[in-house]
Amino acid sequence: QAVVTQEPSLTVSPGGTVTLTCGSSTGAVTSGHYPFWFQQKPGQAPRTLIYDTSNKHSWTPARFSGSLLGGKAALTLSGAQPADEADYYCLLSYSGAWVFGGGTKLTVL
Amino acid sequence: QVHLVESGGGVVQPGRSLRLSCAASGLTFSKTGMHWVRQAPGKGLEWVADMSYDGSDKNYADSVKGRFTISRDNSKNTLYLQLTSLRTEDTAVYFCAKDGFEIWGQGTMVTVSS
């Protein structure tokens, strides 16, 4: 089964910009992996921020955006707020199976 | 409003079995694919299995293939996950999620311990 890699931890200053990435052991991440991005805060279920690479739900704050960047899926947060401190997970599709990345712990400090 | 409510978790000995349920409301369950995802204490998310709306297609993570079975009863708006040959590493919160992952339940805890 494929391995999906994310930065274990990142720190961003309030109001700053940070990009989280999501790589695949099988090669470049493409739109065919239907990348998802989730935010999870302690004690809560995950919440979907981005689906199919760059699509947002109605509840997704405008400061979050998804893209493909350098062979990886990317989640960019522009204008970080303290409420954005959380764990972030990407999810990729592999011909019927899905694999989560290990998660990125984002600190806003 | 769409709700997913998991149940059936508990403490079980290694090698034993357990069946989890996910009751759905507020959606046309019979037209919706569903997923199970788990999260070990202090660890990341792990996709476990999914099933198509009519049960004709199922997929499993390698870590559970041959031990876990996903099923559904569309007449009861309920998704199931049968866990057999349980191992200590199966200890986790088990979430069900609607296809597309925009709706999640709150999870049910499974603890495998002697």
Side-chain angles (χ1 to χ4, degrees):
Chain A
Q1 199 154 24
V3 175
V4 177
T5 55
Q6 299 181 243
E7 299 85 1
S9 63
L10 290 170
T11 300
V12 61
S13 300
T17 296
V18 64
T19 296
L20 289 66
T21 67
C22 176
S24 172
S25 62
T26 63
V29 176
T30 70
S31 58
H33 288 98
Y34 306 102
F36 281 76
W37 288 96
F38 301 87
Q39 178 191 67
Q40 188 182 34
K41 295 184 178 180
Q44 297 182 12
R47 181 176 75 144
T48 312
L49 295 175
I50 300 290
Y51 64 97
D52 292 351
T53 305
S54 58
N55 293 292
K56 301 181 185 183
H57 285 292
S58 59
W59 56 79
T60 305
R63 59 186 180 275
F64 288 96
S65 62
S67 64
L68 294 176
L69 197 63
K72 296 182 178 183
L75 176 71
T76 299
L77 170 58
S78 303
Q81 298 183 5
D84 299 327
E85 188 160 293
D87 294 326
Y88 292 83
Y89 295 91
C90 67
L91 175 67
L92 301 179
S93 172
Y94 293 89
S95 301
W98 294 83
V99 181
F100 279 96
T104 295
K105 184 175 183 62
L106 182 66
T107 301
V108 181
L109 190 62
Chain B
Q1 196 168 2
V2 180
H3 284 291
L4 299 175
V5 179
E6 302 91 339
S7 61
V11 180
V12 62
Q13 293 179 327
R16 303 297 291 267
S17 300
L18 204 60
R19 189 178 80 160
L20 307 181
S21 300
C22 168
S25 60
L27 76 163
T28 307
F29 184 74
S30 61
K31 295 184 178 180
T32 304
M34 297 291 294
H35 299 263
W36 285 102
V37 174
R38 69 183 179 181
Q39 187 168 35
K43 302 297 184 182
L45 300 170
E46 181 184 15
W47 177 83
V48 173
D50 70 3
M51 173 171 269
S52 60
Y53 69 99
D54 61 356
S56 62
D57 188 34
K58 310 174 191 180
N59 298 284
Y60 297 92
D62 287 350
S63 59
V64 307
K65 204 171 292 184
R67 298 189 301 121
F68 291 6
T69 302
I70 189 171
S71 63
R72 64 191 297 157
D73 185 338
N74 285 345
S75 69
K76 297 182 178 179
N77 288 351
T78 302
L79 178 74
Y80 302 101
L81 187 67
Q82 180 73 40
L83 290 63
T84 64
S85 302
L86 280 162
R87 306 167 180 168
T88 55
E89 56 264 36
D90 295 319
T91 294
V93 175
Y94 286 73
F95 298 98
C96 61
K98 178 183 172 294
D99 201 24
F101 299 100
E102 73 267 31
I103 304 294
W104 293 66
Q106 284 305 302
T108 186
M109 182 71 203
V110 173
T111 302
V112 184
S113 174
S114 55

